[in-house]
Amino acid sequence: MYTKPDEDTIVKSYETARGRFGAFGVDTEKAMEQFKTIPISLHNWQGDDVRGFEGMEGVASQNLVTGNYPGAARNGDEMRMDIDKAFSLSPCKHRVNLHSMYAEPARPTPRNELTADDFSAWIRWAKERGYGLDFNASFFTHPMMIDGFSLASRRKDVRDYWIKAGKGAREISKVMGETLGTACINNIWVPDGLKDLPANRMLYREYLKDSLDQIFEKTFDHRVTYDVLEGKLFGIGTECFTVGSHEFYLAYAAKNGKGVCMDTGHYHPTETVVDKISSVALLVDDILLHVSRGIRWDSDHVLIQGDDLTGLMQELKRAGLFGKIAIGLDYFDASINRVAAWVIGLRAAGKAMLTALLEPSDLLEKAEAEGDFTSRLALLEEFKNLPVNAVWDYLCLVNGVPVGAAWLDVLKEYENTIQAARR
């Protein structure tokens, strides 16, 4: 359906692009080598609309996923197969971000009693393929989410349940990091909050602080696992009050030596993470980015190319933060093929990253240092038209990944032969 680009044309276009970038002092080969060292952590929950493998039918979900496209993964084997397919269509360096609701225990096990053994299939699969794993305790879609609260609940029995789950998640992360030889990031996000005005905001935040203090009582080797806290402005059903706000987690992290997760869809529409990264990175050692596309609110649309995504990657490059800040994806869309959603986001993030790596940033810094703001702005505009696509196509070619829209043919075949059987 989609014509495969001629390899000779791809190579010739790359050689021309290499010369264009070289004129600005950019080594495209060096940029591509650096590209291979920067992992992107893929969120497994796109593969089944954040349902998990626990069979929690009839339990309220704190994540709004729309659409009913056929072919969702129904178990771990299908989901791992889908992720493998997505990775085969992306030239990026890959990791997998896993939620605890995707455990595969030998017998039904409460979420707060899960151990690393219940994720052995995931760990074994990741080790065989050289993927790193990141982890999250799933503080949602569960009967113990009483009135929409977990770690900040007024009820001690509810808090205790989730504190135990949080402690267990850290132990699981430790085993994942030790086994795979790459630090497993343990992320904490809770949806706790209220639809209308609270009588006492401090009360809930005191509960959340105490719960976190208990979860973090034990210290782990940072080279094996480390913790980040993910804040949010608001959510559906928590429009007036979110306990785990950005300010709360940022202050907690700075005081207690923890990290933060900055989700690009969790801020006010007029805010941008690009403006915030350099401030936080100066004072907080560990930062994880959850890259999403919010439409008017945290709608978790599939990531696509755009100035906001490119600007985010350019900020990391200019600040020297590539390799210091972890990058992950976080969105879910059930209105399109779920594997395609992963591929579109991975390729968009990868191309934005490559664009940033190819930017002659030193020329912008030089112009600014000399007070030549005219040249700085003019160069910013000129750099937008450098032939990044030619380098991207060549990168895909040499890594055995379909070039251009050719990946859609592969995906359609997979949908018709593998996913169709799940209907």
Side-chain angles (χ1 to χ4, degrees):
M1 181 178 179
Y2 298 99
T3 303
K4 182 179 180 180
D6 178 71
E7 291 188 12
D8 288 340
T9 301
I10 294 172
V11 174
K12 290 178 181 177
S13 295
Y14 168 69
E15 291 299 336
T16 300
R18 184 178 183 181
R20 290 281 306 281
F21 281 103
F24 288 103
V26 175
D27 185 338
T28 55
E29 297 290 328
K30 183 177 180 181
M32 288 189 291
E33 284 302 311
Q34 187 177 359
F35 178 91
K36 297 176 184 178
T37 69
I38 306 170
I40 297 177
S41 195
L42 188 74
H43 56 309
N44 82 291
W45 49 95
Q46 161 65 50
D48 78 330
D49 314 330
V50 206
R51 294 174 184 169
F53 299 152
E54 300 165 315
M56 291 288 182
E57 299 296 332
V59 177
S61 174
Q62 285 71 43
N63 295 284
L64 180 61
V65 185
T66 57
N68 58 356
Y69 199 92
R74 299 167 298 184
N75 53 56
D77 289 338
E78 290 182 352
M79 183 171 284
R80 287 184 285 272
M81 183 189 302
D82 286 352
I83 295 173
D84 281 336
K85 176 55 65 174
F87 284 170
S88 75
L89 302 175
S90 157
C92 303
K93 180 178 174 63
H94 302 120
R95 296 176 64 90
V96 176
N97 196 358
L98 184 66
H99 255 285
S100 66
M101 65 197 301
Y102 296 91
E104 298 169 279
R107 61 186 61 84
T109 303
R111 203 181 288 178
N112 69 339
E113 295 181 12
L114 294 170
T115 69
D117 288 342
D118 300 316
F119 297 89
S120 59
W122 286 103
I123 297 171
R124 183 170 58 252
W125 167 78
K127 188 173 182 62
E128 289 172 354
R129 287 158 174 75
Y131 305 152
L133 288 177
D134 298 311
F135 197 65
N136 315 256
S138 306
F139 296 94
F140 51 80
T141 315
H142 194 277
M144 284 301 286
M145 284 293 299
I146 307 298
D147 297 325
F149 278 86
S150 59
L151 294 179
S153 174
R154 286 176 175 265
R155 287 177 45 171
K156 185 176 184 300
D157 62 325
V158 173
R159 297 198 306 276
D160 287 347
Y161 181 93
W162 291 111
I163 288 169
K164 186 177 180 182
K167 289 182 176 180
R170 298 185 75 221
E171 296 286 350
I172 293 166
S173 298
K174 173 178 176 289
V175 174
M176 288 179 171
E178 288 175 338
T179 305
L180 300 176
T182 176
C184 175
I185 304 173
N186 178 61
N187 183 41
I188 292 180
W189 173 76
V190 298
D192 299 29
L194 292 168
K195 182 179 181 64
D196 219 322
L197 296 172
N200 185 348
R201 289 179 175 85
M202 182 67 79
L203 174 70
Y204 296 102
R205 287 182 170 139
E206 286 175 342
Y207 285 143
L208 179 55
K209 177 184 178 299
D210 180 68
S211 294
L212 292 174
D213 288 345
Q214 293 183 59
I215 289 173
F216 295 139
E217 283 175 351
K218 193 171 181 179
T219 301
F220 294 112
D221 187 337
H222 187 277
R223 294 169 296 181
V224 171
T225 184
Y226 58 90
D227 307 287
V228 296
L229 302 162
E230 181 178 357
K232 192 171 185 178
L233 179 65
F234 79 101
I236 297 299
T238 57
E239 291 86 353
C240 279
F241 175 58
T242 299
V243 184
S245 65
H246 299 295
E247 294 81 4
F248 175 90
Y249 284 138
L250 187 58
Y252 187 95
K255 181 177 181 180
N256 295 282
K258 298 301 177 183
V260 294
C261 173
M262 305 175 75
D263 188 305
T264 58
H266 283 189
Y267 295 84
H268 192 280
T270 60
E271 293 183 289
T272 170
V273 171
V274 173
D275 288 333
K276 304 176 184 298
I277 292 175
S278 57
S279 296
V280 178
L282 283 174
L283 300 170
V284 175
D285 290 336
D286 299 316
I287 299 176
L288 167 65
L289 291 178
H290 272 184
V291 189
S292 180
R293 178 168 58 106
I295 304 295
R296 295 183 174 83
W297 69 289
D298 179 36
S299 53
D300 290 295
H301 280 62
V302 176
L303 191 65
I304 60 173
Q305 295 179 61
D307 290 344
D308 51 349
L309 178 58
T310 300
L312 179 64
M313 296 297 181
Q314 287 172 330
E315 182 68 12
L316 296 182
K317 191 272 180 83
R318 295 170 188 173
L321 293 174
F322 274 138
K324 299 178 181 179
I325 286 182
I327 302 171
L329 306 185
D330 185 1
Y331 54 79
F332 30 83
D333 187 346
S335 69
I336 65 174
N337 185 291
R338 295 165 184 82
V339 178
W342 273 327
V343 177
I344 292 168
L346 278 170
R347 290 174 73 105
K351 187 173 287 188
M353 183 190 300
L354 183 63
T355 300
L357 292 170
L358 290 168
E359 182 189 71
S361 307
D362 58 320
L363 298 182
L364 300 176
E365 170 60 27
K366 181 176 183 294
E368 184 171 304
E370 295 173 351
D372 186 357
F373 301 145
T374 301
S375 293
R376 182 190 62 185
L377 186 59
L379 289 172
L380 277 170
E381 287 297 290
E382 290 300 322
F383 295 165
K384 291 177 181 178
N385 298 305
L386 287 172
V388 173
N389 281 351
V391 182
W392 171 261
D393 287 348
Y394 181 76
L395 178 68
C396 289
L397 178 67
V398 297
N399 282 280
V401 173
V403 178
W407 69 267
L408 268 171
D409 287 335
V410 180
L411 191 282
K412 290 294 184 182
E413 180 181 3
Y414 183 77
E415 179 176 349
N416 293 332
T417 58
I418 302 298
Q419 293 176 297
R422 303 174 186 172
R423 299 179 185 181

